[in-house]
Every structure is written in C-alpha cells, then in structure tokens.
Amino acid sequence: MKTELTLRPVTTDDLPAVAELHLAARRQAGDSFPPPVHPDHEARAWVAGWDLSAYDVWVAERGGEPVGYARWTSTWLDDLYVHPDHQGQGVGTALFELVASTRPAGFCLWVFESNVPARAFYGRHGCLELERTDGSANEEGAPDIRVAWPGADPLAFLRGLIDETDLVLGDVLARRTALTRAVQAVKPSAERDPVREAEIAERVAQVVPELGAERVARIVDVIITVSLDASR
C-alpha cells in the first residue's frame, strides 16, 4: 500500500530538495524537453533564490520524501514536476487540483511542443492549447505552446485573455500608424510599394502560420491602407 500523499507549502529549508527533484524530473523527460541551457549548479542556485513571498510553492510528500512540487502565481503555473519514481501515481493530479482550487478563475502555463506527455496530462485536466510559438522567446529556443486552464467560467476567462491581447494590438496599431505617418515625409514617392508590402506580409505570415499567407496579406493591406488614410 502506498504511503498517503501530503501537500504542504515549501519553506526555504525545502528548496535544495526541490532543486534535486526538478533536475531529476527534467533528466528523466528525455526528448520531451530540449537540452538544458544551464548546468545543474546554476539550476540549484536558481531554485535557492526563489522569493517565496512572490509565488505559491507547494511540495507533495510521501513518507516525508518530496515526490513532486508546483510553483504558481495569480495567473500563471510556472512549474509542476513529479519525481520519475513517482510518476503515474496521482502526484501530478493532486498538485494540479491544488493549483486549480486556489485559482478558480483560471490560469495559463507554457509547455514545450515536444513534451507530449505533459500536453496529454493537461488535456486530461481540462486545459486548452492556445497559441504556438517558434521558441524564440524562451531560453531553449524550442517551440512551445501556451496552455490555459479556463477555470469555473471559461467564457469570462478567455474573453479576459482577448481583452489583454486587444490592448497589445491597439498599441501595435498606434505604433504602425505613427511610423507610417513618419515615413511619408521621407519617401521619394507617395506611391505604395507592392514589393515591400508583399515582403511585410510574408514576414508576418511566418509569425502566424495558422492564418495563412493570403489572409495575412489581406490584413496587412488593410492596416497599411488605414494607416495611410490616418496619416493624411
């Protein structure tokens, strides 16, 4: 019979054991994770430097032995790792359910695209895969996926993410309009440059491949047209 699982908040005294658990889980993951960019001693120093007032960090224990941990903020699940010897025994589910119980409005997390076991785990727990990236924003440079657990009111949660994105979009459109206005003063001709606009559309399409090159080209054309109108 397995020893009962206990969940409790982490203290600074627990951090060395949490670091070893983190390293063991990453090593066991094999090709599910890209190669580490930091040696073990740097990972240990990183964990030792966690500000426990800035995160919720809980450890799962069996018989006093740490077998998993989770670290999260008000809106993001940053870590959820289970020791290789205790995977498939409900530890990850217990930690996930703990996080969900403290964040009923929902939260997001990042998962490497290659981490198929983790993606399946989060899918079983009601998470949605949102946007994919090429990995240029993470240290490993590996493609990843933004995943969301939408909470008790998925519509409200997802609309909240849309509202955040719309603010970013508004900022980008304002910058694009200002730059379009500025470039008109130095261009040798008032005529539009279809070759350059095609290059712009191609670059943008590489960022959002799900839209496809034709759709992106139409969007870019509208943005340029409207920006030119506003600059006159």
Side-chain angles (χ1 to χ4, degrees):
M1 181 179 294
K2 296 185 182 70
T3 306
E4 183 179 355
L5 190 68
T6 301
L7 304 178
R8 64 170 178 82
V10 161
T11 70
T12 53
D13 291 339
D14 297 314
L15 292 178
V18 168
E20 297 308 316
L21 194 159
H22 175 91
L23 289 169
R26 291 289 294 256
R27 281 193 294 266
Q28 185 273 342
D31 292 340
S32 294
F33 276 86
V37 296
H38 296 284
D40 288 359
H41 73 274
E42 289 186 2
R44 293 185 181 104
W46 168 66
V47 174
W50 285 354
D51 179 358
L52 297 180
S53 67
Y55 300 94
D56 287 301
V57 188
W58 284 58
V59 65
E61 293 181 327
R62 277 206 170 108
E65 176 189 0
V67 297
Y69 83 92
R71 180 173 67 106
W72 67 99
T73 66
S74 60
T75 54
W76 286 91
L77 173 58
D78 290 297
D79 294 327
L80 197 162
Y81 288 97
V82 177
H83 191 279
D85 294 342
H86 296 269
Q87 291 178 5
Q89 300 175 21
V91 179
T93 292
L95 287 166
F96 184 89
E97 290 177 349
L98 168 67
V99 177
S101 71
T102 67
R103 300 292 182 265
F107 54 85
C108 290
L109 59 134
W110 287 102
V111 178
F112 288 116
E113 187 176 54
S114 59
N115 195 350
V116 175
R119 292 169 60 186
F121 169 84
Y122 290 118
R124 290 194 300 271
H125 289 81
C127 293
L128 309 173
E129 292 192 351
L130 303 179
E131 71 263 27
R132 286 165 162 75
T133 84
D134 63 2
S136 57
N138 62 56
E139 285 189 308
E140 293 83 357
D144 56 6
I145 303 171
R146 186 183 189 184
V147 174
W149 182 70
D153 189 345
L155 180 60
F157 176 80
L158 293 172
R159 280 180 169 171
L161 295 183
I162 289 173
D163 290 346
E164 292 175 9
T165 303
D166 284 346
L167 291 176
V168 175
L169 178 61
D171 180 60
V172 170
L173 290 173
R175 290 164 57 193
R176 187 60 167 86
T177 301
L179 289 168
T180 299
R181 181 183 301 112
V183 81
Q184 300 313 301
V186 297
K187 278 179 61 177
S189 169
E191 297 296 320
R192 291 175 62 165
D193 185 342
V195 173
R196 174 169 168 75
E197 291 181 15
E199 292 172 349
I200 292 170
E202 183 178 351
R203 288 198 301 270
V204 175
Q206 292 174 1
V207 180
V208 283
E210 291 181 349
L211 284 180
E214 184 180 344
R215 292 190 186 93
V216 170
R218 294 202 301 268
I219 293 169
V220 168
D221 178 69
V222 170
I223 290 172
I224 293 174
T225 299
V226 172
S227 296
L228 285 169
D229 287 344
S231 68
R232 294 190 178 102

